[in-house]
Amino acid sequence: MKNGQMKFNAFLWIMCFFYSCSSGLNSSDTIINIFKTNEPLLFSSYFSDIHPIILVENRPLGTLGKVNFADDFIVISSFDLLQQLAVYDFQGHLMAMRDDIGEGPEGFGEISDFAVYDNKIYVLQGYHRKISVFDSSLRLLEEIKISYSASGIYVNDVGIYLYHLESNPDFPFRLSFFEAGNMNGLIQFDETLISAPLTGNFFIGLDSKSFIHYHPASDSIYLVNETNVNGFHLNFGSSFIDISKFKDLHPLERLKAYNEFEGYKDLSNGVRLSASELLFSISHEKKKKYLKVDLSSRQAQLIQTIKNDLLPLPSNVFFEQNHLNAAWYWQNSETLSKFYQLNGSKIVDTQKINLPNDPESKVVFNLPYK
């Protein structure tokens, strides 16, 4: 991320904003039609192998927030008694852990989101408007001040990108590019997204300079690269949730209305399958399903199940993220133990993972691409 190149890229982003980006669906968005299929998605169609990594939890992780891979280590955010960040090696051994990321001795840790780039860990402290950069031992390398609060971060060869969920009349853009202490607007989303009751991971890495940006309460996704932003509208007809109808409700009533909606909603767990294919989880008729989106053919398939034909494992898989070489997800040992109990006679012992006794221990699965 050299300074001159970053300034040039920032200029391109600004030009893109004024000429091609606007709020919500516009006439330049590509329509992606959706078809239903009864065929499961096979892991072997996209991944060459699957590598289980049992996390040795000398200290309890508690509830996991996010899992991300670097070249040589795994980074996990979680919440036990305090919000914490943990680094593991590929054998599952704990390398470092911190629960003091925040302001002052009673900061209780503020980790709005984090990203991994070039074996550095970028921790967004959105409320305190700064990014703390750590090495794999969680030693602080630098702190970057930002001008506005943010709730999501993504880093690639081009620079640092921040997602803004809260409305700010002085800074109305939802996605920003950060360079040399300045933020430049990229995409101005529909203001109704501010009323969405959900947050989550908003980025899918495609290569070193481009990514997909999405939101759980939006039926449009955006391909962001060095020179432009292209919108793709997922054609659910009138069946995708319209959160603008909930904006005047009390927050608890809004959440209740969202949970009771039976159409399509909650586009999440986005991951790259191939150069042109993406996979999301999505809720339909109050059941979790999957949506495979092909950007090249401009078609998407609504899929009922995933089948792990690389190793006998549960099919209720929800991916975390991916980098250029692999994708990953995680499950509790308890989930895997119950699966083995129900299917014990069908699975040979050599295909079973040697699980720890603690049912709350976590297993991370790394899947290299073909």
Side-chain angles (χ1 to χ4, degrees):
M1 297 184 289
K2 298 185 183 299
N3 191 50
Q5 181 66 41
M6 289 178 69
K7 287 182 178 178
F8 176 69
N9 289 331
F11 169 77
L12 291 175
W13 285 125
I14 296 171
M15 294 300 291
C16 168
F17 172 76
F18 283 113
Y19 284 101
S20 65
C21 302
S22 63
S23 175
L25 175 65
N26 58 58
S27 58
S28 65
D29 283 349
T30 299
I31 301 296
I32 294 183
N33 291 314
I34 298 167
F35 305 91
K36 295 182 179 180
T37 178
N38 293 322
E39 295 295 322
L41 183 139
L42 302 179
F43 272 16
S44 62
S45 298
Y46 300 96
F47 305 110
S48 61
D49 202 354
I50 182 168
H51 302 292
I53 303 171
I54 301 172
L55 302 183
V56 181
E57 298 183 13
N58 300 320
R59 292 173 60 183
L61 277 175
T63 302
L64 294 198
K66 184 176 180 178
V67 178
N68 210 330
F69 272 63
D71 292 338
D72 302 312
F73 56 88
I74 306 167
V75 187
I76 296 173
S77 63
S78 65
F79 192 94
D80 184 35
L81 296 177
L82 297 173
Q83 198 170 12
Q84 56 194 9
L85 203 67
V87 179
Y88 289 82
D89 63 22
F90 284 178
Q91 286 70 50
H93 297 116
L94 182 67
M95 297 171 57
M97 180 178 282
R98 288 189 66 158
D99 58 11
D100 61 345
I101 300 173
E103 290 287 315
E106 296 182 357
F108 294 107
E110 195 218 335
I111 304 173
S112 304
D113 193 13
F114 74 90
V116 175
Y117 173 78
D118 194 24
N119 283 333
K120 295 178 182 178
I121 306 166
Y122 292 74
V123 179
L124 172 65
Q125 299 179 58
Y127 178 77
H128 294 295
R129 300 183 179 182
K130 67 180 180 180
I131 301 167
S132 300
V133 185
F134 299 92
D135 63 11
S136 60
S137 298
L138 292 180
R139 291 187 292 253
L140 182 65
L141 301 177
E142 64 174 316
E143 288 191 338
I144 304 170
K145 297 293 184 181
I146 59 178
S147 303
Y148 301 94
S149 61
S151 58
I153 184 170
Y154 183 79
V155 185
N156 64 9
D157 284 0
V158 180
I160 300 173
Y161 300 84
L162 299 171
Y163 182 78
H164 305 269
L165 187 63
E166 297 82 10
S167 176
N168 187 324
D170 298 321
F171 189 71
F173 310 128
R174 303 274 72 78
L175 183 66
S176 69
F177 173 77
F178 177 87
E179 187 268 332
N182 297 311
M183 291 184 181
N184 304 295
L186 288 181
I187 304 173
Q188 185 173 1
F189 288 99
D190 190 331
E191 290 297 318
T192 58
L193 286 183
I194 298 165
S195 302
L198 297 176
T199 59
N201 181 36
F202 309 108
F203 308 102
I204 306 172
L206 298 181
D207 55 41
S208 63
K209 296 183 179 180
S210 64
F211 60 90
I212 293 290
H213 176 54
Y214 68 97
H215 188 281
S218 174
D219 54 357
S220 288
I221 61 177
Y222 298 86
L223 171 60
V224 183
N225 57 43
E226 277 196 293
T227 58
N228 57 23
V229 177
N230 294 318
F232 296 86
H233 180 69
L234 305 174
N235 186 17
F236 293 102
S238 59
S239 299
F240 196 86
I241 193 166
D242 181 0
I243 58 173
S244 65
K245 296 179 178 179
F246 307 152
K247 66 179 181 179
D248 296 327
L249 297 178
H250 182 276
L252 291 178
E253 289 297 317
R254 185 189 307 155
L255 183 60
K256 180 181 178 183
Y258 190 96
N259 290 335
E260 291 180 349
F261 182 76
E262 295 190 352
Y264 294 97
K265 63 180 180 180
D266 195 14
L267 190 73
S268 55
N269 302 104
V271 69
R272 171 186 175 269
L273 290 177
S274 69
S276 65
E277 293 173 291
L278 314 168
L279 184 71
F280 299 91
S281 67
I282 193 166
S283 176
H284 180 235
E285 297 175 345
K286 295 187 178 181
K287 296 179 181 178
K288 279 290 187 180
K289 299 176 183 178
Y290 301 91
L291 187 72
K292 186 177 74 170
V293 178
D294 191 331
L295 300 180
S296 61
S297 68
R298 301 180 183 180
Q299 291 186 351
Q301 288 183 325
L302 185 68
I303 298 171
Q304 302 292 325
T305 58
I306 285 177
K307 184 175 181 181
N308 186 346
D309 54 344
L310 298 174
L311 197 66
L313 288 167
S315 60
N316 57 331
V317 170
F318 301 106
F319 281 95
E320 279 284 311
Q321 277 189 305
N322 65 272
H323 52 49
L324 302 185
N325 301 316
W328 54 85
Y329 69 95
W330 68 272
Q331 289 179 326
N332 283 324
S333 290
E334 183 179 20
T335 300
L336 299 171
S337 296
K338 288 180 179 179
F339 176 80
Y340 288 149
Q341 291 172 8
L342 293 173
N343 300 277
S345 61
K346 304 174 186 177
I347 306 172
V348 297
D349 290 341
T350 55
Q351 293 181 312
K352 294 181 180 180
I353 302 169
N354 188 19
L355 298 170
N357 293 326
D358 182 3
E360 292 300 316
S361 62
K362 315 297 190 295
V363 181
V364 177
F365 297 92
N366 190 39
L367 292 90
Y369 292 114
K370 279 189 167 182

